[in-house]
Amino acid sequence: MSLLHLEYRLAPEHPLPAAVDDTLAFYRALLRDGISSSRLIIMGDSAGGGLTLLTVQALLARNLPIPRAIITMSPWTDFSSSARNTLDNIHQWIEAQFQRQISD
């Protein structure tokens, strides 16, 4: 088994879709080199998890073969931080900080 790590362009210096373009170019190069998509797994965590999802979306939009699997760990997908669980976590963190200050 081989593991390849891609250093893709980062925002804000290189806004989207630069990172997706980088991952697509890399993926296409692997396919051109004769590596079957059924042998590929794309993995990312945090912002890289979101990039993993965007990459697969781009592959589907271009009718390219999809990888055998994808793995995302805590993908950052809610850029507005407006999801209910995000707001609940923020409120819980603020409450904990307030309680800590009161008890000190």
Side-chain angles (χ1 to χ4, degrees):
M1 177 189 333
S2 298
L3 173 69
L4 303 173
H5 173 82
L6 173 64
E7 292 286 333
Y8 54 87
R9 291 174 288 171
L10 301 174
E13 294 84 9
H14 306 280
L16 281 172
V20 177
D21 292 343
D22 292 347
T23 58
L24 286 176
F26 186 64
Y27 192 83
R28 283 182 167 139
L30 293 172
L31 295 176
R32 265 193 316 274
D33 285 349
I35 299 173
S36 169
S37 63
S38 66
R39 298 187 62 217
L40 298 172
I41 297 172
I42 300 175
M43 183 176 112
D45 69 299
S46 192
L51 178 57
T52 296
L53 297 173
L54 287 172
T55 299
V56 172
Q57 183 181 35
L59 292 172
L60 291 169
R62 289 161 178 79
N63 292 316
L64 291 169
I66 58 172
R68 179 182 194 103
I70 64 167
I71 301 169
T72 61
M73 297 175 289
S74 300
W76 187 25
T77 57
D78 180 16
F79 295 106
S80 68
S81 297
S82 62
R84 185 76 213 149
N85 65 333
T86 300
L87 297 175
D88 288 345
N89 288 340
I90 290 169
H91 290 295
Q92 290 173 8
W93 183 83
I94 291 170
E95 180 66 26
Q97 298 304 311
F98 179 72
Q99 292 297 328
R100 189 173 303 140
Q101 287 179 358
I102 291 173
S103 65
D104 286 345

